Amino acid sequence: MNHQHVHKKMATTVATSLSSILFSIIASSHHWLHVGILFLLGSSTNMMATMSGVLWVRRTMIIATFITAIYSGYRLSKHKHMPVWMKVMTSLSVLISFGFVIYTLYKFGW
């Protein structure tokens, strides 16, 4: 194996690890994105109290959370030799994300 191939493989591994962590953070903290978007849309008490005025935001966030959780779970199953702390963080993030999706669908509907 030449030096360039090893360097490229290492860079790909680092990028994959960092993207997995980034997707895990986004998946488990998407509600902060909700709040940010609501503040940008008006930040009124009524707007913050209900998502009915911006139904597209809720649906987009449900879909985004679901996709990122699925992707994180896929990456977790594909890369079995990642560090334990990364496995734990990704697993927790996926569980929390699915919990958010289930709770949101149960509480507010589609």
Side-chain angles (χ1 to χ4, degrees):
M1 221 184 284
N2 63 23
H3 179 66
Q4 288 178 340
H5 180 71
V6 171
H7 186 265
K8 184 177 178 182
K9 184 176 179 180
M10 189 171 73
T12 302
T13 304
V14 170
T16 300
S17 297
L18 291 177
S19 66
S20 179
I21 292 170
L22 180 64
F23 281 132
S24 296
I25 291 169
I26 291 170
S28 63
S29 65
H30 81 278
H31 285 89
W32 292 105
L33 295 173
H34 270 211
V35 173
I37 290 170
L38 290 175
F39 276 129
L40 289 174
L41 292 174
S43 75
S44 69
T45 305
N46 290 336
M47 182 64 82
M48 296 298 289
T50 180
M51 287 294 289
S52 63
V54 284
L55 188 60
W56 64 271
V57 173
R58 183 175 71 215
R59 289 180 177 168
T60 301
M61 289 301 174
I62 289 171
I63 292 167
T65 300
F66 188 73
I67 289 171
T68 54
I70 292 290
Y71 180 75
S72 295
Y74 168 76
R75 297 300 294 176
L76 185 66
S77 69
K78 188 168 175 82
H79 297 285
K80 298 192 185 306
H81 300 293
M82 65 176 60
V84 174
W85 69 269
M86 196 178 289
K87 289 179 184 179
V88 170
M89 292 298 291
T90 303
S91 298
L92 285 174
S93 177
V94 168
L95 289 173
I96 291 169
S97 296
F98 282 134
F100 279 139
V101 168
I102 291 167
Y103 173 78
T104 301
L105 291 173
Y106 175 74
K107 190 74 171 170
F108 302 106
W110 177 247

